[in-house]
């Protein structure tokens, strides 16, 4: 019989997911005030990171770096990089 999973792991994963989504909402609020595309990109990236974290918990994938869910994280970071490059190119 395999050992019971540690209940603290899903708890902290939920807290991390919540943190990502709250950060996304903060950036969305900043975007609504300024209409700066950088804030919108950060909001979208943090929402993607939150979705990625939640899906990892629910799917039970043991090695996340080898799963297709890793593409969500890659997309989030690419969004941030592209938004920063666009912001610096304008200024």
């Amino acid at each position: 019989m395999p050992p019971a999973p540690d209940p603290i792991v899903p708890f902290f994963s939920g807290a991390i997911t919540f943190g990502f989504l709250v950060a996304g909402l903060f950036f969305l609020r900043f975007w609504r005030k300024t209409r700066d595309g950088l804030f919108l990109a950060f909001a979208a990236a943090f929402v993607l990171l939150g979705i990625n974290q939640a899906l990892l918990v629910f799917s039970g994938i043991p090695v996340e770096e080898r799963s297709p869910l890793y593409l969500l994280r890659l997309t989030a970071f690419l969004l941030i990089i592209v938004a920063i490059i666009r912001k610096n190119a304008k200024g």
Side-chain angles (χ1 to χ4, degrees), residues 10-75:
F11 173 78
F12 280 123
S13 292
I16 292 169
T17 300
F18 180 73
F20 280 139
L21 295 177
V22 167
L25 288 175
F26 273 113
F27 280 113
L28 190 61
R29 189 176 88 187
F30 297 144
W31 173 77
R32 286 183 64 198
K33 287 182 181 179
T34 65
R35 296 294 183 200
D36 187 352
L38 184 67
F39 290 134
L40 186 61
F42 269 86
F46 276 104
V47 168
L48 282 175
L49 290 170
I51 291 169
N52 179 55
Q53 187 68 30
L55 289 175
L56 283 171
V57 172
F58 291 127
S59 66
I61 295 173
V63 183
E64 63 181 290
E65 293 85 16
R66 296 183 189 164
S67 74
L69 293 178
Y70 194 75
L71 294 176
L72 281 175
R73 186 181 299 176
L74 177 65
T75 303

